[in-house]
Amino acid sequence: SADPVWRVKLSLGASLAGNGLYAAFQLGLGIWHQALWYYVLASYYALLLVMRLPLARRISRGGLGRDIPGEYRLYRRCGVVLAVMNVALATMVFYMAHQGRGFSHHSITAIAIAAYTFFSLTMALINVVRYRRYCSPLLSAAKAVSLAAALVSMLTLETAMLNAFGSAEEAAFRRSMTASSGGMICLLILGMGLFMIAKANRALGRNKQGDISNGR
């Protein structure tokens, strides 16, 4: 029916809008604090937005599941970008853990970070439930991108909270927490990207073998 498709488009639109606003917000923090971490986060969310745009365009045209090879190619492309972007994120997590860096936030800034974290987690959970009824690589890619955004926002919120409520004597604890949680998040996102690439390659390989066997 048209109603489930409309709800999928609505959730994608909300995710796109939130992603774009948060990327601009992180860029503003980078300009204000002159800190590389915020520029990296702004670039990360901007690239997530760039990945989401072609997914949203394809989905808005309808016809999910009609061009499965084409959907898997876009699905694989998203996996490659996630894996490559993760290198920059892992580098910054290592830098922050090694240097024990943290940033003090105004209460409004902390509330905004917490609000986006809650929003991104909520949308990721909604997408997991809503998209599972569709056999579409496009929606699976959108779900993976939403989950990556939620995981990185959790890391951002954690570093903000540790710095806000931790004392100077707890620097070692902050470093270990940033290293452990950041490392886990990086591994999860890298795993998602590699899984998407492998899954798409298998599906496209089966499709190509089917074309050959059919004399195409």
Side-chain angles (χ1 to χ4, degrees):
S1 62
D3 188 57
V5 175
W6 180 84
R7 288 199 299 268
V8 166
K9 292 179 181 179
L10 182 63
S11 65
L12 280 173
S15 297
L16 277 170
N19 194 157
L21 289 172
Y22 198 64
F25 175 67
Q26 292 295 332
L27 178 61
L29 288 177
I31 295 172
W32 179 263
H33 293 284
Q34 290 296 301
L36 181 61
W37 171 245
Y38 294 117
Y39 288 122
V40 171
L41 284 176
S43 301
Y44 194 92
Y45 283 102
L47 287 172
L48 289 177
L49 180 63
V50 169
M51 276 198 294
R52 278 173 155 155
L53 285 173
L55 293 172
R57 279 199 301 267
R58 288 283 296 270
I59 293 169
S60 66
R61 294 171 188 166
L64 291 174
R66 293 180 182 176
D67 179 20
I68 294 298
E71 291 189 21
Y72 267 118
R73 283 190 287 271
L74 189 52
Y75 177 84
R76 180 175 58 188
R77 191 185 311 161
C78 289
V80 171
V81 176
L82 278 179
V84 172
M85 287 166 54
N86 199 56
V87 175
L89 182 64
T91 302
M92 284 306 301
V93 168
F94 174 80
Y95 168 76
M96 289 189 69
H98 181 70
Q99 298 293 328
R101 293 292 303 274
F103 303 102
S104 299
H105 293 291
H106 189 273
S107 58
I108 296 178
T109 303
I111 291 171
I113 293 173
Y116 181 76
T117 301
F118 177 77
F119 167 80
S120 59
L121 281 172
T122 301
M123 294 305 299
L125 292 174
I126 288 173
N127 291 342
V128 167
V129 174
R130 183 167 290 164
Y131 296 168
R132 66 180 179 181
R133 72 185 69 178
Y134 300 96
C135 297
S136 170
L138 286 179
L139 293 179
S140 296
K143 182 171 61 178
V145 174
S146 293
L147 183 56
L151 289 172
V152 176
S153 65
M154 286 175 59
L155 177 61
T156 306
L157 180 62
E158 179 190 291
T159 56
M161 293 299 101
L162 285 174
N163 189 66
F165 299 107
S167 62
E169 292 77 17
E170 297 173 337
F173 172 75
R174 288 200 301 270
R175 284 197 297 270
S176 63
M177 283 295 296
T178 301
S180 58
S181 58
M184 186 179 300
I185 287 172
C186 288
L187 286 174
L188 283 171
I189 295 176
L190 177 61
M192 280 196 304
L194 295 177
F195 172 80
M196 292 168 70
I197 295 169
K199 183 178 179 180
N201 285 339
R202 287 195 302 268
L204 290 170
R206 288 195 300 268
N207 180 76
K208 185 176 181 181
Q209 289 174 357
D211 289 346
I212 293 172
S213 65
N214 291 329
R216 296 179 186 174

